[in-house]
Amino acid sequence: MKMKKDERRQAIQKAIDLNPFMTDSALCEMFGVSIQTIRLDRTYLNIPELRKRIKLVAEQNYEQIRALEANEVIGDLIQVAPNESAQSIIEVTEESVFAKTQIARGHVLFAQANSLCVALIHKSTVLTQESSIKFIEKVKLHDTVRAEAHVTDQTTHHYFIKVNSYVKDTLVFQGTFKMFYISEDEANG
């Protein structure tokens, strides 16, 4: 049984409030309507398209970064809890893949994970000291990669961070990073 227009619109608003990164396609499946209907409903509700929603969330999160400028983060920062965890997403574009195979270049996934580690540490100077990475599944053109970074340990000058990257719910990349940082006292002294 289909919902009435007003009920559907309220449900769409609620779904996007819970998950601002929900795609129009996912909303189509959820509500059993066409993509055009979803787009009309979003327009009526003044909900921007996914790309704009991502940018709005990312802009809010960039204010919490100290070691990088916003334009130095690879991907869009969608969540950050300083010194604890962070998430970013990146869409794989034609510039990021091998022309023959349409498979993402490894350095793109590494750069996303590495910059996410730097971004989550709330210090002015953060450098990668060591990393161990593993590419698990192929990532293809137009895939959206979500990287999740979590601090696993901290010492006087290091953060240890684990990063898992996913395409939808499939794990595609894993990395552990040892990040060196300088405290504000040391930087100013």
Side-chain angles (χ1 to χ4, degrees), residues 81-114:
N83 303 327
E84 293 177 19
S85 65
Q87 290 184 48
S88 71
I89 58 175
I90 190 168
E91 183 174 341
V92 178
T93 62
E94 290 194 25
E95 297 83 37
S96 305
V97 298
F98 294 106
K100 264 185 158 177
T101 61
Q102 303 291 288
I103 295 173
R105 298 168 183 264
H107 70 268
V108 173
L109 300 178
F110 175 81
Q112 178 188 20
N114 189 70

Side-chain angles (χ1 to χ4, degrees), residues 33-86:
V33 295
S34 70
I35 198 141
Q36 292 86 354
T37 299
I38 293 296
R39 288 178 182 154
L40 286 170
D41 288 346
R42 269 194 312 93
T43 301
Y44 176 83
L45 295 165
N46 291 318
I47 298 171
E49 66 169 331
L50 176 63
R51 193 83 206 127
K52 287 183 182 173
R53 293 193 309 267
I54 290 169
K55 288 292 182 195
L56 289 171
V57 170
E59 286 170 8
Q60 294 167 353
N61 285 312
Y62 290 135
E63 295 170 9
Q64 299 183 57
I65 300 175
R66 297 189 62 191
L68 295 171
E69 296 295 323
N71 64 349
E72 295 174 319
V73 176
I74 307 301
D76 293 311
L77 194 60
I78 60 171
Q79 179 270 328
V80 63
N83 303 327
E84 293 177 19
S85 65

Side-chain angles (χ1 to χ4, degrees), residues 8-171:
R8 185 184 64 244
R9 286 179 174 170
Q10 286 177 353
I12 289 170
Q13 182 71 61
K14 192 178 215 176
I16 290 176
D17 287 347
L18 289 171
N19 177 6
F21 310 114
M22 186 166 278
T23 65
D24 286 350
S25 297
L27 291 167
C28 288
E29 289 178 28
M30 184 181 285
F31 297 105
V33 295
S34 70
I35 198 141
Q36 292 86 354
T37 299
I38 293 296
R39 288 178 182 154
L40 286 170
D41 288 346
R42 269 194 312 93
T43 301
Y44 176 83
L45 295 165
N46 291 318
I47 298 171
E49 66 169 331
L50 176 63
R51 193 83 206 127
K52 287 183 182 173
R53 293 193 309 267
I54 290 169
K55 288 292 182 195
L56 289 171
V57 170
E59 286 170 8
Q60 294 167 353
N61 285 312
Y62 290 135
E63 295 170 9
Q64 299 183 57
I65 300 175
R66 297 189 62 191
L68 295 171
E69 296 295 323
N71 64 349
E72 295 174 319
V73 176
I74 307 301
D76 293 311
L77 194 60
I78 60 171
Q79 179 270 328
V80 63
N83 303 327
E84 293 177 19
S85 65
Q87 290 184 48
S88 71
I89 58 175
I90 190 168
E91 183 174 341
V92 178
T93 62
E94 290 194 25
E95 297 83 37
S96 305
V97 298
F98 294 106
K100 264 185 158 177
T101 61
Q102 303 291 288
I103 295 173
R105 298 168 183 264
H107 70 268
V108 173
L109 300 178
F110 175 81
Q112 178 188 20
N114 189 70
S115 71
L116 188 58
C117 290
V118 175
L120 82 84
I121 300 172
H122 202 59
K123 305 289 183 192
S124 57
T125 304
V126 179
L127 303 167
T128 306
Q129 185 167 349
E130 294 176 20
S131 67
S132 174
I133 62 171
K134 185 176 182 181
F135 297 95
I136 298 166
E137 294 288 337
K138 291 179 255 179
V139 175
K140 299 181 223 76
L141 180 64
H142 303 302
D143 281 348
T144 299
V145 180
R146 184 182 83 260
E148 300 178 353
H150 299 278
V151 172
T152 58
D153 199 9
Q154 179 188 358
T155 65
T156 307
H157 286 285
H158 296 95
Y159 276 88
F160 297 85
I161 301 170
K162 181 169 181 142
V163 178
N164 289 325
S165 298
Y166 302 88
V167 171
K168 296 185 180 163
D169 291 328
T170 302
L171 183 65

